[in-house]
């Protein structure tokens, strides 16, 4: 169920650096607790499919670092390129290097808390956007429970899954990771812009 970024594959590319400010980015997770974060190139970002992915980045000098994808590096960022926060890049090489040849691969981290769910600002019973935060593995799908069964929502480039007619808003949510594990989440209130904790997390791979 993976997109362009597949488990067990080592990708070649180049690392660059950007000023990440508070760590928020195109994935709209909000400020980051850790600055070990990165922006994925436009192609591999794949309309937010890369959001929340943990990536192990290795430099030719033997240094390595794990970063979480929170942002998109727009064109001309090339396939394989990762734009690291300045703090993360500095763990691999001096910032003055500018462009650093790297290899990188998807990681399913050992340490991970539980997933949170957030409804987008403006969400109501008539329209809503739903986002998952803190998932160990990249998401493949998000569904909501409706009167006629589960409905798969479209994922936007800004990392919210939309129900344009309000169907399933405020109801049970089902999320699936790229390994096919499916988690059902109940009891999430329709409260816009509030990250609500769940008691679940995907398995490590």
């Amino acid at each position: 169920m993976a997109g362009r970024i597949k488990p067990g594959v080592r990708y070649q590319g180049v690392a660059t650096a950007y000023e990440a400010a508070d760590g928020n980015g195109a994935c709209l997770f909000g400020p980051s607790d850790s600055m070990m974060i990165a922006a994925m190139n436009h192609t591999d970002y794949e309309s937010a499919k890369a959001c929340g992915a943990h990536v192990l980045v290795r430099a030719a000098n033997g240094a390595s670092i794990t970063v979480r994808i929170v942002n998109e590096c727009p064109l001309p960022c090339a396939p394989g390129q990762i734009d690291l926060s300045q703090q993360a890049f500095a763990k691999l090489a001096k910032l003055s290097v500018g462009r650093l040849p790297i290899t990188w691969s998807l990681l399913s981290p050992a340490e991970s808390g539980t997933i949170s769910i957030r409804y987008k600002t403006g969400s109501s019973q008539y329209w809503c956007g739903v986002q998952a935060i803190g998932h160990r593995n990249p998401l493949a799908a998000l569904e909501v429970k409706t009167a006629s069964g589960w409905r798969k929502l479209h994922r936007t480039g800004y990392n919210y899954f939309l129900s344009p007619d309000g169907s399933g808003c405020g109801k049970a949510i089902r999320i699936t990771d790229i390994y096919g594990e499916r988690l059902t989440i109940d009891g999430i209130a329709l409260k816009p812009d509030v990250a609500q904790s769940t008691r679940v997390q995907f398995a490590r791979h």
Side-chain angles (χ1 to χ4, degrees):
M1 298 186 71
R4 286 184 55 85
I5 303 174
K6 295 176 171 55
V9 177
R10 180 176 289 189
Y11 298 89
Q12 290 190 331
V14 62
T16 49
Y18 76 107
E19 172 51 62
D22 65 359
N24 198 7
C27 297
L28 296 186
F29 288 133
S32 180
D33 292 334
S34 167
M35 295 309 292
M36 296 301 105
I37 54 176
M40 183 61 70
N41 69 82
H42 170 77
T43 304
D44 294 324
Y45 182 78
E46 200 176 0
S47 297
K49 285 185 180 179
C51 284
H54 297 266
V55 175
L56 175 63
V57 181
R58 296 183 184 274
N61 62 10
S64 65
I65 190 172
T66 300
V67 293
R68 184 169 64 106
I69 303 302
V70 302
N71 208 349
E72 175 185 7
C73 183
L75 295 171
C77 264
Q81 182 175 349
I82 297 182
D83 206 20
L84 302 172
S85 70
Q86 291 180 345
Q87 295 91 328
F89 190 98
K91 299 282 187 179
L92 301 178
K94 293 181 178 179
L95 290 175
S96 58
V97 169
R99 296 173 64 86
L100 183 70
I102 58 166
T103 59
W104 57 272
S105 55
L106 192 64
L107 186 70
S108 185
E111 294 183 10
S112 190
T114 56
I115 296 168
S116 295
I117 298 292
R118 179 163 55 203
Y119 279 100
K120 196 176 189 313
T121 301
S123 291
S124 70
Q125 60 182 322
Y126 306 107
W127 175 94
C128 66
V130 191
Q131 177 188 61
I133 306 167
H135 38 89
R136 172 182 272 126
N137 307 316
L139 290 187
L142 185 148
E143 303 164 279
V144 291
K145 189 69 176 289
T146 71
S148 58
W150 291 100
R151 178 185 180 188
K152 185 177 179 179
L153 301 185
H154 169 72
R155 189 179 202 164
T156 67
Y158 53 87
N159 196 36
Y160 274 88
F161 295 81
L162 299 187
S163 176
D165 60 0
S167 178
C169 296
K171 306 298 183 182
I173 296 167
R174 191 163 70 179
I175 55 177
T176 306
D177 70 5
I178 62 171
Y179 299 96
E181 183 180 1
R182 184 178 286 164
L183 302 174
T184 301
I185 301 167
D186 294 298
I188 300 297
L190 186 49
K191 296 180 180 178
D193 205 29
V194 177
Q196 301 179 62
S197 297
T198 73
R199 297 180 179 180
V200 297
Q201 181 58 270
F202 293 118
R204 187 185 181 200
H205 290 265

